């Protein structure tokens, strides 16, 4: 495929750009294979000076056009929730522009995406990709205990295609047992270590649901693996991110949840969380409500309520607190899983770590957490973030589960304003880069896919950009003081607030990202 | 403690073994002794190390509810006007009844003299008290606005409150309005509250005037009233009309016509533009607050319960209506240069709200600490807002009670959220003002009018809140406020669409005492500490630089006066002494050292974490064991916030105990 074929028109003069919070700008519009550019005409807008807009086409979620006889206007609704309007002289030009944008923004092939073409002079490929290897994390654990080992049983991604090559498992369990346990879990996601709580030596494990099925199958290797995670006489908690009923129903489809009789040392708790389509729809409703300036107070509150976004937020924080509570207060090990173990499971394990572990609240520690618990853990970013809240396309696998995580972290930051080393600006940047980015960090669905696409060889890492001193400075919280304690948030409705930054239409806060 | 107790009207002065229930996690309760004094209800915990005290002024009590006796005792629920809720369990039914009866009497005084401000004595001498009352002066304020001038003058027509008993003695009116016109107009207005100046914009001569509704009925006219409005227009030569803003919903205003009241007929008044702005009446507002407080009282509500309840209460809708009215007026004055006459029915509730919001939007002075005090004195106290009736200071008609000034205070908070650098004061300032409007600890808000206050000789017999707040102003500073910030200058132009996140639930006010719901670390306090630190260091630097300059001078002189031995010795002495001042590591390092210990982050976290531990061990155990009791071993365990412990006693003690100590004096 050639990009050139998709570009129906490369350049139009006298295009007017308007967006909330900015005076209209007139200039030249260009379409390149990955960007929409608008540079203001010299002297065209004396007060603002030269304005240049660089918009990744990948960022465009929906294109809405209105044409009249001699001109047309295009509304671009972006995945990062910004809305831009272009007034284009000439109907033909307008149609061609919109066709080009539609075609280019919906290129699905990963290898054709911008990160594979982005070559900034100041950066070297491969930098940043080795910043947070699992080996480092494992070594920290190894200094505390010998009960855990690093296994390469998934070296070829054959045991579990969505796991990374190396995983941390109980020393007492050999690779063969792991392989058998993997066959008893959806997608092969057998229980592995997610977090080691140094304070009391408890661990947080995660997996996918066990394939118990209607006939109540058992798997001795899986039972062995889970009991090896506990010391003699200890009891653990299994937190299922589905309701008890949903977990039971999953048995009919071949899944299910650990029964008390087969796993006598584990006690099951449920923290039902929404994911998939209901979560995406919640996101869409929330954005709709936020974009409707005509709403009265009552309608606004009722739309906010019916979007359920804040309820999902409360649910996620509550379940993460439950997991953290089991570890910190009950001094027990915890296994978290839902169904696939790639969405709500990761939401809970990652959030619990931010609550428990001060290391995860530093700038680099947080990046390491994202790398470990979201990217390497196989959260399917490519599927989940293919489309955002404006798209008219049929929903496939989109769901803003990672955005929900960022929102939860933002709430923690609000309740403990000195305890996170990074600020909300970093969270905003991460939100934007999951949907459209010049960097390869959030590409693909798993480490396996990243290897196939040679992402680590052919794209730059977001971390190496974020860790440049000039960038780092922007993302540090000036009030930060190291806080060794667990930060228990309040999850009362009165204590949770809407995270406005991603939702506000006003474009000014994002000038810098867009080069405006 | 024992000596304090002298409650003649109460049959029992104290009750032992009373339990104070924590509202969020009801399993948590502390045992202590309940005391009733002439002015306070005091609960003292038995825990010997802390002996934490909870003090509640009788005047803060809004309702007392005796609930059905249980095996553990007799529950007593005390709801306060500052949104504190105290739940007690008294072992003996009889004791509970005694306390209940005593409190009902104590919470509803019938004479002003029974109020706390007449016995409150902060140990200030007479002069200090007088100085305190002089802190805020309205004459200075009108001068600051630029009146009297060519267009406006002070009128003494109401000198002995003869024209209007709820107006101040000194009113500012257009120069062209004669006493005859004023008196005539006053006869055509409800409660004779004639149009008078509230705010004057000297940049463009536009003004905000206020009054009550005209007694127009269906067709009545009054020449003097028409002349009065004409005079207001003439006082703004740049504009050929004035807005008349009726802050009531149109339907209410029309209903008033049947009673011989109503609103201005545009045909009878030359050059007015009439406008309705639908703010609901005090009864609607009272029940709206009631509904919202019910939502706040819910135990672990779901997000839907909360948002539905909030919407249902209509509270934020009403706040927005008030704000919108203020914005309309501020826009008319600042952008169109048109004067506005504002009224509602009697012109002392909605009119006060709207005029003060508009003033606050228009004039940066009112966004300073002193300015805000002046604003409340001007639009609320002097113009006869009925504090006594609205806030139930004395026992009276419960239908007169309504959170009118509470709504204004919330409007200010909503603006502070949107313009974080525009206000010199912080949220705590607003919360404390709200507290003292109900506390009756200071005389400022007593009675229903200036006339009544003068008759009671309030200024001679009580103290002024403003002096008290001013003395402690360091606590009320907004560290983000900068006089030169663009937000600080000129008119504020807030966003108004609800989806712009302008209107939020004010957790800091309505759940003020549920500490567990608030951010655990206070950015305001931290930034204030940093600011103070910086200031100190800068001052030190300045001193050192001065010394350095001196030293250089000395050195120069030394060279010149090399021959004079005596002088030289003196200089050497000087220079060594200077050195010793410059070299004060103790001082400097103690500064550096004291810094982190002062930063609220560490202290607070330590506290909360410790308490969380205890709380959690208690609250989580039964939950988990309950699960094991289930046959299936499976249960949906919705996580309660582990921090749900809420009222953290040690945190509480910080500010409140200070106040408690202060009160005992």
């Amino acid at each position: 495929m050639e990009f050139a074929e998709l570009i129906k028109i490369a350049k139009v003069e006298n295009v007017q750009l308007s967006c909330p919070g900015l005076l209209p700008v007139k200039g030249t519009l260009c379409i390149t294979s990955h960007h929409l550019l608008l540079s203001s005409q010299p002297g065209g807008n004396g007060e603002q000076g030269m304005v240049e807009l660089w918009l990744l086409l990948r960022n465009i979620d929906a294109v809405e056009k209105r044409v009249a006889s001699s001109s047309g206007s295009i509304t671009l609704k972006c995945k990062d929730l910004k809305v831009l309007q272009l007034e284009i002289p000439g109907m033909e030009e307008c149609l061609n522009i919109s066709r080009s944008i539609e075609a280019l923004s919906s290129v699905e092939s990963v290898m054709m995406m911008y990160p594979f073409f982005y070559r900034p002079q100041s950066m070297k490929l491969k930098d940043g990709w080795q910043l947070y290897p699992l080996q480092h994390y494992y070594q920290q654990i190894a200094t505390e205990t010998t009960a855990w080992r690093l296994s390469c049983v998934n070296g070829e991604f054959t045991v579990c295609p969505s796991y990374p090559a190396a995983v941390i498992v109980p020393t007492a369990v050999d690779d063969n047992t792991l392989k058998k346990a993997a066959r008893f879990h959806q997608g092969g996601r057998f229980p592995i270590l997610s977090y080691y709580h140094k304070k009391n030596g408890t661990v947080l494990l995660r997996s996918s649901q066990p394939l118990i099925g209607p006939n109540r199958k058992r798997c001795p290797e899986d039972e062995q693996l889970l009991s090896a995670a506990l010391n003699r006489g200890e009891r653990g908690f299994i937190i299922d991110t589905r309701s008890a009923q949903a977990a039971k129903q999953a048995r009919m489809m071949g899944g299910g949840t650990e029964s008390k009789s087969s796993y006598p040392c584990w006690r099951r708790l449920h923290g039902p969380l929404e994911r998939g389509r209901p979560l995406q729809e919640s996101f869409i409703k929330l954005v709709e409500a936020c974009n409707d300036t005509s709403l009265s107070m009552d309608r606004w509150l009722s739309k906010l309520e019916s979007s359920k976004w804040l309820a999902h937020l409360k649910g996620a924080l509550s379940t993460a607190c439950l997991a953290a509570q089991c570890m910190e207060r009950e001094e027990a090990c915890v296994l978290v899983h839902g169904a696939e173990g790639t969405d709500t499971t990761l939401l809970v394990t990652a959030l619990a770590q931010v609550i428990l572990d001060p290391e995860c609240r530093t700038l680099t520690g947080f990046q390491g957490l994202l790398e470990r618990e979201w990217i390497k853990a196989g959260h399917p970013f490519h599927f989940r973030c293919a489309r955002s809240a404006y798209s008219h396309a049929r929903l496939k696998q989109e769901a803003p589960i990672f955005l929900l995580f960022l929102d939860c972290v933002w709430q923690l930051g609000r309740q403990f304003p000195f305890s996170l080393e990074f600020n909300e600006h970093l969270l905003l940047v991460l939100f934007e880069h999951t949907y459209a980015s010049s960097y390869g960090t959030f590409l693909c669905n798993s480490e396996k896919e990243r290897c196939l696409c040679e992402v680590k060889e052919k794209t730059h890492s977001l971390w190496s950009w974020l860790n440049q001193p000039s960038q780092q400075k922007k993302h540090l919280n000036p009030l930060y003081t190291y806080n060794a304690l667990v930060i228990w948030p309040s999850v009362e409705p009165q204590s949770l607030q809407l995270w406005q930054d991603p939702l506000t239409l006003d474009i000014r806060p994002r000038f810098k990202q867009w080069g405006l | 403690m024992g000596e304090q107790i002298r409650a003649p009207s109460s049959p029992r002065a104290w009750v032992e073994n009373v339990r104070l229930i924590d509202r969020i996690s009801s399993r948590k309760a502390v045992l202590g002794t309940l005391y009733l004094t002439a002015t306070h209800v005091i609960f003292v915990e038995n825990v010997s190390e802390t002996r934490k005290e909870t003090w509640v002024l009788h005047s803060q009590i809004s309702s007392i509810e005796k609930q059905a006796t249980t095996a553990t005792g007799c529950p007593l629920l005390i709801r306060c006007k500052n949104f504190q809720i105290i739940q007690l369990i008294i072992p003996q039914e009889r004791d509970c009844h005694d306390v209940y009866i005593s409190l009902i009497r104590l919470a509803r005084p019938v004479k002003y003299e029974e109020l706390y401000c007449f016995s409150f004595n902060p140990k200030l001498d007479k002069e200090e008290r007088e100085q305190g009352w002089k802190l805020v002066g309205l004459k200075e304020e009108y001068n600051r606005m630029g009146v009297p001038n060519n267009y406006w003058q002070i009128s003494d027509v109401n000198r002995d409150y003869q024209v209007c008993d709820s107006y101040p003695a000194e009113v500012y009116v257009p120069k062209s309005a004669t006493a005859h016109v004023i008196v005539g107009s006053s006869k055509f207005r409800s409660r004779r509250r004639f149009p008078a100046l509230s705010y004057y914009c000297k940049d463009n001569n536009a003004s905000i005037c206020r009054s009550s509704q005209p007694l127009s009925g269906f067709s009545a006219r009054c020449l003097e009233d028409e002349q009065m409005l004409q005079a207001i227009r003439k006082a703004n030569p740049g504009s050929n009309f004035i807005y008349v803003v009726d802050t009531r919903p149109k339907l209410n205003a029309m209903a008033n016509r049947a009673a011989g009241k109503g609103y201005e007929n545009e045909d009878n008044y030359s050059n007015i533009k009439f406008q309705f702005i639908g703010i609901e009446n005090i009864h609607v507002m009272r029940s709206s607050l009631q509904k919202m407080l019910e939502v706040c009282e819910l135990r672990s509500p779901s997000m839907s319960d909360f948002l539905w309840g909030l919407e249902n209460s209509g509270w934020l809708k009403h706040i927005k209506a008030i704000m919108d009215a203020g914005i309309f007026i501020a826009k008319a004055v600042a952008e169109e240069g048109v004067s506005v006459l504002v009224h509602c029915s009697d012109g002392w509730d909605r009119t006060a709200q709207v005029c003060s919001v508009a003033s606050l939007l228009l004039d940066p002075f009112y966004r300073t600490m002193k300015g805000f005090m002046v604003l409340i004195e001007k639009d609320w106290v002097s113009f006869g807002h009925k504090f006594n009736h609205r806030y139930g200071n004395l026992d009276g008609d419960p239908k007169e009670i309504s959170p009118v000034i509470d709504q204004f205070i919330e409007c200010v908070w909503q603006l502070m959220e949107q313009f974080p650098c525009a206000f010199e004061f912080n949220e705590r300032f607003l919360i404390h003002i709200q507290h003292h409007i109900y506390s009756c600890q200071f005389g400022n808000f007593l009675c229903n009018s200036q006339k009544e206050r003068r008759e009671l000789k309030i200024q001679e017999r009580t103290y002024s809140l403003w002096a008290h707040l001013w003395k402690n102003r360091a606590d009320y500073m907004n560290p983000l406020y900068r006089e030169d910030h663009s937000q600080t200058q000129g008119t504020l132009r807030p966003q108004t669409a609800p989806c712009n996140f302008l209107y939020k639930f004010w957790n800091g006010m309505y759940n003020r005492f549920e500490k567990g719901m608030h951010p655990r670390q206070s950015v305001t306090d931290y930034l204030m500490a940093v600011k103070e630190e910086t200031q100190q260091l800068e001052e030190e630097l300045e001193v050192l630089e001065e010394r350095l300059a001196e030293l250089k001078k000395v050195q120069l002189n030394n060279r010149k006066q090399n021959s004079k031995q005596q002088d030289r010795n003196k200089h050497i002495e000087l220079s060594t002494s200077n050195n010793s001042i410059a070299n004060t590591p103790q001082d400097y390092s103690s500064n550096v050292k004291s810094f982190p210990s002062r930063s609220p982050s560490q202290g607070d976290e330590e506290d909360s974490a410790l308490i969380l531990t205890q709380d959690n061990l208690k609250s989580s155990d039964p939950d988990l064991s309950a699960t094991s009791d289930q046959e299936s071993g499976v249960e949906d365990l919705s996580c309660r916030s582990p921090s749900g412990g809420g009222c953290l006693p040690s945190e509480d003690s910080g500010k409140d105990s200070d106040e408690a100590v202060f009160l005992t004096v």
Side-chain angles (χ1 to χ4, degrees), chain A residues 268 305 415-416 418 483 495, chain B residues 304 517 520-521 605 634:
Chain A
R268 199 142 39 84
E305 191 277 327
Q415 295 192 22
F416 296 89
F418 312 146
N483 172 6
S495 307
Chain B
S304 284
M517 286 185 188
R520 305 314 155 77
Q521 302 163 319
E605 281 158 23
V634 174

Side-chain angles (χ1 to χ4, degrees), chain A residues 212-321:
Chain A
I212 289 169
N215 300 326
R216 297 174 188 264
K217 265 189 293 185
R218 291 180 63 164
C219 171
E221 290 80 5
D222 189 50
E223 290 163 24
Q224 188 194 337
L225 171 58
L226 278 188
S227 57
L230 303 175
N231 291 323
R232 182 184 293 275
E234 269 181 5
R235 302 228 274 180
F237 291 97
I238 294 173
I239 296 179
D240 196 318
T241 61
R242 301 164 294 181
S243 67
Q245 203 192 355
K248 207 176 267 176
Q249 275 169 358
R251 276 219 310 266
M252 304 314 293
M253 310 294 293
T257 191
E258 290 82 356
S259 68
K260 203 175 180 186
S261 54
S262 316
Y263 301 84
C265 296
W266 293 85
R267 184 170 302 153
R268 199 142 39 84
L269 305 172
H270 291 268
L273 298 180
E274 211 58 83
R275 63 195 183 106
R277 174 160 274 194
L279 191 64
Q280 179 71 12
E281 277 164 5
S282 161
F283 180 40
I284 291 170
K285 278 189 190 165
L286 175 71
V287 171
E288 255 172 30
C290 290
N291 285 6
D292 190 346
T293 49
S294 67
L295 289 178
S296 71
M297 199 68 228
D298 285 356
R299 291 287 296 149
W300 156 249
L301 283 172
S302 119
K303 283 206 152 182
L304 184 63
E305 191 277 327
S306 72
S307 83
K308 301 270 178 250
W309 182 262
L310 289 170
H312 298 321
L313 197 69
K314 178 169 156 63
L317 278 167
S318 303
T319 308
C321 284

Side-chain angles (χ1 to χ4, degrees), chain A residues 322-394:
Chain A
L322 179 65
Q325 195 178 341
C326 290
M327 295 179 75
E328 170 79 11
R329 301 271 178 256
E330 304 298 321
E331 308 208 320
C333 296
V334 175
L335 166 67
V336 181
H337 70 68
E340 288 95 341
T342 54
D343 294 290
T344 48
T345 305
L346 304 181
L347 177 63
V348 172
T349 58
L351 211 46
Q353 293 178 51
V354 180
I355 292 168
L356 287 169
D357 186 2
E359 296 309 320
C360 294
R361 299 178 219 139
T362 65
L363 186 59
T364 51
F366 188 64
Q367 291 174 9
L369 176 77
L370 297 183
E371 188 71 33
R372 243 182 335 108
E373 286 299 289
W374 286 95
I375 298 166
K376 289 208 178 77
H379 176 65
F381 280 102
H382 183 74
F383 287 153
R384 297 292 178 261
C385 303
R387 295 274 165 196
S388 174
Y390 293 124
S391 174
H392 304 300
R394 209 166 54 83

Side-chain angles (χ1 to χ4, degrees), chain B residues 609-620:
Chain B
L610 278 175
I611 285 137
L612 293 174
T613 318
Q614 298 166 351
D615 177 39
N616 231 74
L617 285 173
K618 277 183 203 150
S619 71
S620 64

Side-chain angles (χ1 to χ4, degrees), chain B residues 311-370:
Chain B
E311 183 199 331
N312 236 342
S313 76
W315 181 257
L316 287 175
K317 180 176 71 184
H318 300 313
I319 296 291
K320 179 170 157 43
I322 296 163
M323 194 87 91
D324 285 345
I327 291 168
F328 174 85
I329 294 165
K331 221 170 142 187
V333 169
E335 287 171 22
E336 299 177 56
V338 176
S339 296
V340 185
L341 171 67
V342 186
H343 69 71
C344 45
S345 296
D346 289 320
W348 50 39
D349 293 317
R350 285 168 275 203
T351 301
Q353 289 176 329
V354 166
C355 288
S356 49
V357 168
S359 299
L360 194 79
L361 292 171
L362 282 166
D363 196 329
F365 172 66
Y366 298 125
R367 292 172 233 142
T368 65
M369 213 174 283
K370 199 71 146 299

